[in-house]
């Protein structure tokens, strides 16, 4: 919102409030022990390391002994496909492993609309980029010798449509639709439920369902999930007697992070562009569902009683209905009470009543 001042000067209230919120969040982060890896900046500091990735991936894929991944190469996360105009995709972490796996790891804090579509669309771009890079290492230029050239052409035909294994790992801080447990592996299957290809998989974690206590953490997979979920609110993270995990924890200590990166984290935590889009979506949906109902009821009451107060009450009820619809949608998506209160403007007691009502239905 912009306010017009004297002499043609305007003041952007929204931007000013955002800057104030970022500064306040920055000061709060500095008082914490760790930066929160559930946000993009903290996640990359925590995980974007060759040894941390190897340990995490071996846990995710349950690889042991000779099958364990022994090295990974972190790659440029930016992908640009060219249609009539370039279409950019920015991944959180993209890497290739020594066993031939192409890996994309995404930390998803905000609940996006059309989540499944987003996973598929992003994976298509990731798969095309992985195929292109894989071809560069397997296709040799044609030599002048005809016999040698035929061998290369034969190999080209053999691998023309061959793709490397491409696995997308999504770590979600919201309720994942149609997934019962905290961990799910999704694939492309036919009508009979048979997997079409083992080379394409989506491994999705729902941190809202990950409730294991510290004494029940046994695997590397669970250790990393536990740390990701709890780092932002913990003062003393366990390293599980693992040097790789100990170094990862050390990287997210607030005292070891530059002020510039802390400000990036604060900006990330106030509202990402994606969260702003999601909030606008919630408001629009609430506008259509709650505001119209509240205003209509208020107007009817005002007409029946012949008083303007009825209309005013209706407008107030409409605004309250809108806030409640936003709160319901956010609670259904697994957002925290703190976040719901901040965005909806409702009191915590109102939100708890709404939550209890949802859970009893």
């Amino acid at each position: 919102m912009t306010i017009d001042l004297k002499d043609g000067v305007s003041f952007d209230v929204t931007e000013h409030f955002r800057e104030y919120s970022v500064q306040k969040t920055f000061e709060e982060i500095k008082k914490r022990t760790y930066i929160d890896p559930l946000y993009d900046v903290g996640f990359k500091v925590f995980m974007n390391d060759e040894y941390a990735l190897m340990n995490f991936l071996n846990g995710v894929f349950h690889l042991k002994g000779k099958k364990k991944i022994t090295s990974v190469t972190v790659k440029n996360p930016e992908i640009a496909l060219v249609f009539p105009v370039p279409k950019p995709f920015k991944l959180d972490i993209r890497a290739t492993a020594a066993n031939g796996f192409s890996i994309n790891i995404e930390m998803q804090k905000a609940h996006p609309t059309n989540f499944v579509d987003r996973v598929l669309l992003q994976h298509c771009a990731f798969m095309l980029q992985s195929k292109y890079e894989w071809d560069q290492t397997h296709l040799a230029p044609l030599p002048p010798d005809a016999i040698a050239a035929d061998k290369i052409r034969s190999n080209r035909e053999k691998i023309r449509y061959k793709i490397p294994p491409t696995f997308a790992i999504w770590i979600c801080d919201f309720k994942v639709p149609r997934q019962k447990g905290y961990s799910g592996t999704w694939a492309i299957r036919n009508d009979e439920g048979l997997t079409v290809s083992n080379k394409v998989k989506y491994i999705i974690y729902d941190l809202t369902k990950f409730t294991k206590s510290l004494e029940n953490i046994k695997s590397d997979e669970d250790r990393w999930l536990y740390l990701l979920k709890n780092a932002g609110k913990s003062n003393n993270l366990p390293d599980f007697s693992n040097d790789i995990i100990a170094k990862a924890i050390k990287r997210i200590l607030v005292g070891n992070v530059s002020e510039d990166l802390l400000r990036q984290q604060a900006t990330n935590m106030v509202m990402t562009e994606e969260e702003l889009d999601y909030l606008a979506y919630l408001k629009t949906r609430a506008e259509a569902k709650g505001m119209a109902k509240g205003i209509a009821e208020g107007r009817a009451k005002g007409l029946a009683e012949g008083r303007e107060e009825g209309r005013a009450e209706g407008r107030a009820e409409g605004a309250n209905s809108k806030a409640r619809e936003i709160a319901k949608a956010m609670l259904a998506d697994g957002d925290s009470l703190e976040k719901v209160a901040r965005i909806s403007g409702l009191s915590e007691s109102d939100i708890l009543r709404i939550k209890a009502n949802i859970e009893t239905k």
Side-chain angles (χ1 to χ4, degrees):
M1 180 177 72
T2 301
I3 298 176
D4 293 324
L5 305 176
K6 293 180 179 180
D7 302 322
V9 178
S10 61
F11 182 71
D12 191 331
V13 177
T14 304
E15 186 58 33
H16 180 73
F17 179 73
R18 182 176 170 79
E19 289 175 3
Y20 168 79
S21 298
V22 169
Q23 180 61 30
K24 187 176 179 181
T25 304
F26 169 71
E27 291 168 0
E28 290 174 356
I29 291 174
K30 291 185 74 172
K31 298 174 185 177
R32 298 179 183 179
T33 305
Y34 307 102
I35 59 173
D36 193 341
L38 294 182
Y39 294 88
D40 284 353
V41 174
F43 178 69
K44 289 171 185 174
V45 171
F46 190 53
M47 292 296 299
N48 205 350
D49 169 83
E50 178 183 352
Y51 297 103
L53 282 175
M54 276 194 294
N55 194 267
F56 173 68
L57 293 173
N58 283 323
V60 169
F61 295 110
H62 308 288
L63 301 176
K64 297 180 180 180
K66 294 182 179 179
K67 292 185 177 180
K68 289 179 72 172
I69 295 171
T70 56
S71 69
V72 294
T73 302
V74 179
K75 301 210 163 187
N76 185 345
E78 295 184 4
I79 296 173
L81 300 183
V82 179
F83 303 108
V85 294
K87 168 64 177 175
F89 292 86
K90 189 166 185 178
L91 313 182
D92 284 347
I93 297 177
R94 186 169 72 91
T96 57
N99 62 357
F101 290 2
S102 290
I103 309 291
N104 169 216
I105 307 174
E106 295 294 314
M107 178 67 241
Q108 190 65 36
K109 178 70 177 174
H111 189 303
T113 54
N114 303 311
F115 173 63
V116 173
D117 288 357
R118 174 177 175 170
V119 171
L120 294 173
L121 181 62
Q122 188 161 304
H123 195 84
C124 287
F126 168 56
M127 186 189 299
L128 288 171
Q129 182 70 25
S130 300
K131 167 62 175 171
Y132 170 77
E133 293 174 355
W134 188 82
D135 281 350
Q136 304 314 299
T137 63
H138 289 80
L139 295 177
L142 291 175
D145 179 80
I147 296 176
D150 281 345
K151 289 182 179 180
I152 291 175
R153 286 188 181 279
S154 174
N155 185 56
R156 280 186 180 180
E157 178 58 29
K158 187 166 60 176
I159 67 172
R160 184 180 303 278
Y161 298 109
K162 189 175 183 179
I163 61 171
T166 54
F167 301 129
I169 301 168
W170 287 74
I171 305 166
C172 304
D173 192 32
F174 55 83
K175 289 182 180 178
V176 175
R178 293 185 291 176
Q179 180 164 300
K180 294 181 179 180
Y182 71 86
S183 175
T185 300
W186 300 70
I188 303 172
R189 297 186 173 91
N190 66 11
D191 290 344
E192 297 175 352
L194 299 175
T195 301
V196 174
S197 172
N198 286 316
K199 288 186 175 182
V200 178
K201 287 184 181 178
Y202 311 92
I203 298 164
I204 301 179
Y205 293 108
D206 181 342
L207 291 182
T208 69
K209 294 187 178 76
F210 184 80
T211 57
K212 290 189 178 183
S213 58
L214 188 57
E215 56 270 20
N216 291 321
I217 303 297
K218 306 297 181 183
S219 67
D220 283 335
E221 177 185 35
D222 285 349
R223 290 183 186 107
W224 287 103
L225 294 178
Y226 179 89
L227 294 171
L228 285 166
K229 181 166 184 174
N230 292 285
K233 52 183 179 287
S234 176
N235 291 319
N236 186 24
L237 289 173
D239 62 17
F240 301 103
S241 301
N242 183 312
D243 289 342
I244 294 170
I245 289 177
K247 289 177 181 177
I249 292 172
K250 190 175 180 180
R251 284 196 297 273
I252 60 171
L253 281 169
V254 169
N256 291 339
V257 178
S258 69
E259 286 214 353
D260 181 59
L261 196 141
L262 288 180
R263 288 194 181 276
Q264 290 179 43
Q265 176 86 343
T267 302
N268 223 202
M269 291 175 70
V270 169
M271 266 299 176
T272 64
E273 282 299 313
E274 193 168 319
E275 286 177 313
L276 289 170
D277 291 345
Y278 177 53
L279 177 57
Y281 165 75
L282 289 177
K283 285 180 177 177
T284 303
R285 190 169 70 177
E287 189 85 40
K289 188 175 180 181
M291 194 72 163
K293 179 183 176 183
I295 291 175
E297 290 175 351
R299 282 176 178 167
K301 183 176 180 180
L303 289 170
E305 297 178 357
R307 297 191 187 98
E308 177 59 30
E309 294 95 284
R311 293 185 179 89
E313 185 178 331
R315 286 191 289 271
E317 178 60 30
N320 185 260
S321 295
K322 177 180 177 180
R324 287 175 175 277
E325 287 300 325
I326 290 174
K328 284 179 185 177
M330 295 183 72
L331 288 169
D333 289 340
D335 289 317
S336 66
L337 290 178
E338 180 185 12
K339 185 176 179 181
V340 175
R342 175 164 56 87
I343 290 178
S344 70
L346 296 174
S347 67
E348 187 171 316
S349 59
D350 282 341
I351 295 168
L352 286 171
R353 280 194 290 271
I354 293 170
K355 184 178 181 183
N357 188 47
I358 292 172
E359 290 173 348
T360 56
K361 289 184 177 179

